[in-house]
Amino acid sequence: MDFKRLKYFLAVAEELHFGRAANRLDIAQPPLSRQIAALEAELEVQLFDRSRSQIRLTQAGEVLQDHARQLLERLDAAYRETKMVGSGAGGRLRIAFVGSASHGVLPTLIKSYRSFYPEVELQLSAMNNAELHTALVSREIDIAVARPILDDEEFRREPLCTEPLILALPDNSDLGTRAEIHFADLADKTFVLYPRKPRPSYADVVLDICAREGFKPKAIDLAQDFQSAISLVSVGVGIAVVPQSVSRTQRPGVIFRPYKGYNPGTGLTVHARLDNRAPQVMHFLEVTRKFARKQ
């Protein structure tokens, strides 16, 4: 069945007048009458009762009117949704990020993206760098926000931000009362490092700071991720070196302090596969570039 013919039928069914329906469709009346006659012949039913001065729908015509409306509405919706997804204004975007990113600029970046593309469904999840790399390679996610970077020539990258490192301390630590904390003063403390594996990782960045400051940590407690590390700090297991943005979110049992000494800083980078040129991905990278320039 021709969808155009259904459209013609629905116009006549709603106007109950061939002349008005023809004007509405911007066609001449004779071709419209021929299309309706052809539809009736195709279905082998009479759709309109033309025995009176004003035509009316037959029972068969009423049935077809209901179905025609639904079909044309669904077809219109299919066209609109397909165009939205194809242009990047709709569809789905799967974003994964390191846990510490949720305390910094990432939430603001996502809000910015949503302000431009509110119809795109976002699927968000937290992973460590190794999990981000695996998920991006296997196409389980579209965007990976890593700290500081995922080393893979098959990924495109957009730097998001850089920031200094600070200390996360138990709130009853004697260090919290000092006017200044020198990193070298931490030699007798237990360091909570993350992630536990794989290595090398951010944990090795912290160990390198210790080495440059002339000591090895007295003790080490390894956690699998940032959230676990902060939980260990909150119960007094040890101290952690974290991105400055983490201090924006207060955590019971934890205080944050800057330190004097070697501070390589850290950053966030947005990654996507080079061969993934889906408009949703390309739009997110474009929003990231503009957002990063304003930081």
Side-chain angles (χ1 to χ4, degrees), residues 159-285:
L160 179 56
C161 68
T162 57
E163 57 186 313
L165 297 172
I166 60 173
L167 303 176
L169 311 170
D171 60 2
N172 60 356
S173 171
D174 61 309
L175 295 171
T177 61
R178 297 187 186 182
E180 260 184 13
I181 303 174
H182 292 266
F183 201 90
D185 297 337
L186 306 175
D188 63 342
K189 303 296 182 183
T190 296
F191 277 71
V192 179
L193 304 179
Y194 62 94
R196 178 180 293 108
K197 60 181 180 179
R199 303 287 287 275
S201 66
Y202 177 74
D204 297 281
V205 172
V206 178
L207 291 176
D208 181 61
I209 298 174
C210 296
R212 287 172 179 263
E213 291 294 318
F215 71 91
K216 290 184 177 180
K218 173 186 175 183
I220 291 175
D221 203 304
L222 291 170
Q224 185 52 39
D225 52 37
F226 162 76
Q227 297 295 348
S228 300
I230 290 296
S231 295
L232 291 174
V233 173
S234 72
V235 296
V237 170
I239 66 169
V241 181
V242 299
Q244 185 182 55
S245 56
V246 171
S247 63
R248 298 177 188 174
T249 303
Q250 294 303 309
R251 175 71 180 264
V254 181
I255 57 175
F256 299 96
R257 295 289 185 272
Y259 69 83
K260 298 289 185 180
Y262 176 64
N263 194 325
T266 184
L268 291 173
T269 307
V270 176
H271 303 74
R273 291 179 60 100
L274 284 172
D275 59 0
N276 186 352
R277 300 191 63 84
Q280 293 82 2
V281 171
M282 302 309 291
H283 289 163
F284 190 87
L285 295 175

Side-chain angles (χ1 to χ4, degrees), residues 99-117:
S100 60
S102 62
H103 299 271
V105 298
L106 181 61
T108 308
L109 170 62
I110 291 175
K111 287 180 182 178
S112 178
Y113 174 78
R114 286 188 62 82
S115 70
F116 290 105
Y117 304 101

